[in-house]
Amino acid sequence: MTFKLEGPVLEGALVRLEPLDHRHAADLAVAAEEDRGSYEFTWVPRADEVGAYIDAQLARAATGQLAPYAQVSVALGRAIGATSFWEPRCWLTDDQLDAIEVGFTWLARSGQGTGVNAEAKLLLFRHAFEQWGVSRVDLKTDARNRRSRAAIERTGASFEGVLRNWSRSWAPGEDGLLRDSAIYSITAAEWPECRESLSARVRKAVQVVGETVR
Protein backbone atom coordinates (compact mmCIF):
# COMPACT_ATOMS: atom_id res chain seq x y z
CA MET A 1 0.00 0.00 0.00
CA THR A 2 1.52 3.33 -1.06
CA PHE A 3 -1.11 5.48 0.66
CA LYS A 4 0.44 6.89 3.83
CA LEU A 5 -1.90 7.53 6.74
CA GLU A 6 -1.13 10.93 8.22
CA GLY A 7 -3.62 12.99 10.17
CA PRO A 8 -3.17 16.77 9.81
CA VAL A 9 -4.36 19.30 12.38
CA LEU A 10 -8.11 19.75 11.93
CA GLU A 11 -9.53 23.05 13.17
CA GLY A 12 -13.07 23.66 14.35
CA ALA A 13 -14.91 26.28 16.37
CA LEU A 14 -15.22 24.07 19.46
CA VAL A 15 -12.41 21.55 19.08
CA ARG A 16 -9.01 21.37 17.43
CA LEU A 17 -7.75 17.91 16.59
CA GLU A 18 -3.98 17.80 17.03
CA PRO A 19 -1.77 14.78 16.27
CA LEU A 20 -1.33 13.03 19.62
CA ASP A 21 1.96 13.73 21.38
CA HIS A 22 3.43 13.53 24.86
CA ARG A 23 2.85 17.26 25.21
CA HIS A 24 -0.83 16.35 25.69
CA ALA A 25 -0.09 13.96 28.56
CA ALA A 26 -0.72 16.28 31.52
CA ASP A 27 -4.05 17.49 30.12
CA LEU A 28 -5.21 13.98 29.25
CA ALA A 29 -4.30 12.74 32.74
CA VAL A 30 -6.68 15.32 34.20
CA ALA A 31 -9.39 14.66 31.61
CA ALA A 32 -9.29 10.90 32.11
CA GLU A 33 -9.99 11.19 35.83
CA GLU A 34 -12.93 13.62 35.67
CA ASP A 35 -15.67 11.01 35.90
CA ARG A 36 -14.86 7.47 34.90
CA GLY A 37 -18.46 6.31 35.07
CA SER A 38 -18.89 6.93 31.34
CA TYR A 39 -15.85 4.84 30.33
CA GLU A 40 -17.24 1.43 31.19
CA PHE A 41 -16.46 -0.23 27.84
CA THR A 42 -13.86 2.20 26.46
CA TRP A 43 -10.06 2.20 26.63
CA VAL A 44 -9.32 5.28 28.72
CA PRO A 45 -6.06 5.28 30.70
CA ARG A 46 -5.78 6.18 34.34
CA ALA A 47 -3.79 9.33 35.04
CA ASP A 48 -0.60 7.39 35.72
CA GLU A 49 -1.04 5.33 32.56
CA VAL A 50 -1.31 8.21 30.09
CA GLY A 51 2.38 8.12 29.11
CA ALA A 52 2.16 4.41 28.26
CA TYR A 53 -1.16 5.02 26.47
CA ILE A 54 0.43 7.64 24.23
CA ASP A 55 3.41 5.36 23.59
CA ALA A 56 1.03 2.56 22.54
CA GLN A 57 -0.86 4.82 20.14
CA LEU A 58 2.33 6.21 18.65
CA ALA A 59 3.59 2.66 18.14
CA ARG A 60 0.41 1.86 16.22
CA ALA A 61 0.92 5.05 14.22
CA ALA A 62 4.42 3.89 13.29
CA THR A 63 2.90 0.82 11.58
CA GLY A 64 0.81 3.06 9.31
CA GLN A 65 -2.44 1.74 10.73
CA LEU A 66 -3.37 4.62 13.03
CA ALA A 67 -3.40 8.43 13.04
CA PRO A 68 -4.11 9.36 16.69
CA TYR A 69 -5.38 12.74 17.80
CA ALA A 70 -5.79 14.71 20.99
CA GLN A 71 -9.12 16.53 21.16
CA VAL A 72 -8.23 20.04 22.31
CA SER A 73 -11.02 22.28 23.60
CA VAL A 74 -10.81 25.64 21.84
CA ALA A 75 -12.48 27.37 24.80
CA LEU A 76 -10.21 25.80 27.42
CA GLY A 77 -7.02 25.57 25.40
CA ARG A 78 -6.26 22.07 26.66
CA ALA A 79 -6.75 18.45 25.63
CA ILE A 80 -9.95 16.86 26.89
CA GLY A 81 -9.93 13.55 25.03
CA ALA A 82 -8.61 11.53 22.12
CA THR A 83 -9.72 10.02 18.83
CA SER A 84 -8.12 8.47 15.75
CA PHE A 85 -8.27 7.45 12.15
CA TRP A 86 -7.75 3.69 12.15
CA GLU A 87 -7.26 0.76 9.75
CA PRO A 88 -6.93 2.40 6.32
CA ARG A 89 -8.04 0.11 3.48
CA CYS A 90 -6.96 0.44 -0.14
CA TRP A 91 -8.92 -2.18 -2.03
CA LEU A 92 -8.79 -1.06 -5.66
CA THR A 93 -5.38 0.57 -6.01
CA ASP A 94 -2.45 1.00 -3.66
CA ASP A 95 -2.54 4.77 -3.65
CA GLN A 96 -6.29 5.41 -3.24
CA LEU A 97 -7.83 5.08 0.21
CA ASP A 98 -11.22 3.39 -0.08
CA ALA A 99 -12.28 3.04 3.56
CA ILE A 100 -11.17 3.97 7.03
CA GLU A 101 -12.43 3.70 10.60
CA VAL A 102 -12.82 6.46 13.16
CA GLY A 103 -12.16 5.01 16.58
CA PHE A 104 -10.22 4.98 19.85
CA THR A 105 -12.47 7.88 20.87
CA TRP A 106 -13.00 9.17 24.39
CA LEU A 107 -13.94 12.51 25.86
CA ALA A 108 -13.79 13.91 29.38
CA ARG A 109 -17.15 14.04 31.11
CA SER A 110 -17.16 17.85 31.01
CA GLY A 111 -16.81 17.75 27.22
CA GLN A 112 -19.68 15.36 26.64
CA GLY A 113 -22.91 16.88 25.38
CA THR A 114 -21.20 20.16 24.44
CA GLY A 115 -20.96 19.67 20.68
CA VAL A 116 -17.28 18.75 20.80
CA ASN A 117 -17.90 15.16 19.76
CA ALA A 118 -20.21 16.23 16.92
CA GLU A 119 -17.64 18.68 15.59
CA ALA A 120 -14.76 16.22 15.95
CA LYS A 121 -16.71 13.70 13.90
CA LEU A 122 -17.57 16.39 11.34
CA LEU A 123 -13.89 17.28 10.97
CA LEU A 124 -12.76 13.66 10.68
CA PHE A 125 -15.51 12.57 8.30
CA ARG A 126 -15.07 15.66 6.13
CA HIS A 127 -11.34 15.04 5.79
CA ALA A 128 -11.90 11.37 4.97
CA PHE A 129 -14.57 11.97 2.34
CA GLU A 130 -13.49 15.29 0.86
CA GLN A 131 -9.68 15.10 1.06
CA TRP A 132 -8.97 11.39 0.87
CA GLY A 133 -12.02 10.54 -1.25
CA VAL A 134 -13.03 7.45 0.71
CA SER A 135 -16.12 5.46 -0.18
CA ARG A 136 -16.82 4.52 3.42
CA VAL A 137 -16.10 5.52 7.01
CA ASP A 138 -16.88 3.01 9.69
CA LEU A 139 -17.19 3.08 13.46
CA LYS A 140 -17.49 0.26 15.93
CA THR A 141 -18.05 -0.10 19.65
CA ASP A 142 -18.73 -2.74 22.27
CA ALA A 143 -22.24 -3.98 21.51
CA ARG A 144 -23.14 -3.47 25.20
CA ASN A 145 -22.09 0.17 25.19
CA ARG A 146 -25.44 1.96 24.87
CA ARG A 147 -23.93 5.41 25.43
CA SER A 148 -21.38 4.98 22.65
CA ARG A 149 -23.92 3.45 20.27
CA ALA A 150 -26.31 6.35 20.82
CA ALA A 151 -23.51 8.86 20.15
CA ILE A 152 -22.55 7.05 16.93
CA GLU A 153 -26.17 6.95 15.77
CA ARG A 154 -26.47 10.71 16.32
CA THR A 155 -23.70 11.24 13.77
CA GLY A 156 -25.97 9.77 11.11
CA ALA A 157 -24.07 6.50 10.76
CA SER A 158 -26.10 3.42 9.79
CA PHE A 159 -26.10 0.32 11.99
CA GLU A 160 -24.89 -2.71 10.04
CA GLY A 161 -25.02 -5.42 12.67
CA VAL A 162 -23.10 -7.07 15.49
CA LEU A 163 -19.96 -9.10 14.81
CA ARG A 164 -19.49 -11.68 17.53
CA ASN A 165 -16.13 -12.08 19.28
CA TRP A 166 -14.82 -9.44 16.88
CA SER A 167 -12.26 -7.50 18.90
CA ARG A 168 -10.57 -7.07 22.24
CA SER A 169 -12.73 -6.14 25.21
CA TRP A 170 -11.76 -3.00 27.12
CA ALA A 171 -14.32 -3.55 29.88
CA PRO A 172 -12.92 -3.77 33.43
CA GLY A 173 -12.18 -7.34 34.47
CA GLU A 174 -12.25 -8.63 30.88
CA ASP A 175 -8.53 -8.64 30.07
CA GLY A 176 -7.79 -11.36 27.55
CA LEU A 177 -11.41 -11.65 26.43
CA LEU A 178 -13.09 -10.75 23.17
CA ARG A 179 -16.20 -8.62 22.78
CA ASP A 180 -19.08 -8.45 20.37
CA SER A 181 -18.76 -5.28 18.26
CA ALA A 182 -21.62 -3.18 16.90
CA ILE A 183 -20.64 -1.93 13.44
CA TYR A 184 -21.79 1.34 11.87
CA SER A 185 -20.89 3.12 8.64
CA ILE A 186 -21.36 6.19 6.50
CA THR A 187 -20.92 5.90 2.73
CA ALA A 188 -19.89 8.59 0.29
CA ALA A 189 -23.47 8.76 -1.02
CA GLU A 190 -24.74 9.40 2.51
CA TRP A 191 -22.08 11.94 3.41
CA PRO A 192 -23.82 15.13 2.15
CA GLU A 193 -26.88 14.51 4.32
CA CYS A 194 -24.72 13.48 7.26
CA ARG A 195 -22.58 16.61 6.83
CA GLU A 196 -25.62 18.87 6.93
CA SER A 197 -26.96 17.20 10.06
CA LEU A 198 -23.64 17.37 11.91
CA SER A 199 -23.06 20.95 10.77
CA ALA A 200 -26.45 21.98 12.14
CA ARG A 201 -25.63 20.36 15.49
CA VAL A 202 -22.31 22.16 15.62
CA ARG A 203 -23.85 25.54 14.74
CA LYS A 204 -26.36 25.11 17.55
CA ALA A 205 -23.63 24.17 20.04
CA VAL A 206 -21.49 27.14 19.00
CA GLN A 207 -24.48 29.43 19.49
CA VAL A 208 -25.04 28.04 22.99
CA VAL A 209 -21.38 28.63 23.85
CA GLY A 210 -21.60 32.18 22.53
CA GLU A 211 -24.66 32.92 24.64
CA THR A 212 -22.99 31.45 27.70
CA VAL A 213 -19.90 33.65 27.48
CA ARG A 214 -21.85 36.86 26.86
Side-chain angles (χ1 to χ4, degrees):
M1 184 174 71
T2 58
F3 172 82
K4 186 175 181 181
L5 179 60
E6 293 180 332
V9 173
L10 300 175
E11 295 270 2
L14 301 171
V15 65
R16 182 173 64 257
L17 300 182
E18 299 178 355
L20 183 66
D21 187 83
H22 280 283
R23 70 179 183 277
H24 300 114
D27 289 347
L28 292 178
V30 173
E33 295 294 342
E34 275 191 13
D35 177 358
R36 298 191 63 86
S38 63
Y39 302 149
E40 186 177 6
F41 299 105
T42 305
W43 181 33
V44 181
R46 302 300 309 223
D48 61 355
E49 298 169 340
V50 167
Y53 167 86
I54 294 174
D55 284 339
Q57 293 297 69
L58 294 180
R60 288 183 173 91
T63 71
Q65 292 298 298
L66 185 79
Y69 283 103
Q71 299 194 64
V72 177
S73 166
V74 171
L76 299 175
R78 58 180 172 83
I80 58 172
T83 191
S84 295
F85 285 120
W86 172 232
E87 290 192 335
R89 279 151 285 158
C90 297
W91 289 318
L92 299 179
T93 65
D94 287 345
D95 58 358
Q96 171 57 46
L97 184 66
D98 295 305
I100 198 161
E101 180 177 334
V102 169
F104 288 106
T105 300
W106 62 273
L107 194 61
R109 182 67 186 89
S110 61
Q112 296 172 23
T114 64
V116 165
N117 182 62
E119 187 172 48
K121 293 298 191 293
L122 176 63
L123 294 170
L124 293 165
F125 295 167
R126 185 167 63 198
H127 189 79
F129 285 113
E130 298 179 13
Q131 299 301 315
W132 288 333
V134 301
S135 295
R136 167 191 173 97
V137 170
D138 44 79
L139 308 97
K140 66 176 183 286
T141 189
D142 192 306
R144 300 167 293 179
N145 193 339
R146 295 182 182 275
R147 183 192 298 268
S148 179
R149 292 181 67 166
I152 291 172
E153 288 163 6
R154 285 194 296 272
T155 70
S158 297
F159 174 58
E160 296 188 331
V162 173
L163 299 179
R164 296 177 297 170
N165 292 341
W166 181 251
S167 56
R168 173 181 176 174
S169 174
W170 299 103
E174 294 187 358
D175 289 348
L177 299 180
L178 297 175
R179 74 179 195 195
D180 294 348
S181 291
I183 308 298
Y184 295 81
S185 71
I186 300 166
T187 66
E190 297 166 338
W191 167 235
E193 182 178 354
C194 174
R195 180 181 56 209
E196 288 305 309
S197 176
L198 281 172
S199 296
R201 287 177 58 194
V202 171
R203 286 194 297 269
K204 184 176 180 180
V206 170
Q207 182 179 9
V208 169
V209 170
E211 291 172 350
T212 300
V213 300
R214 282 203 293 269

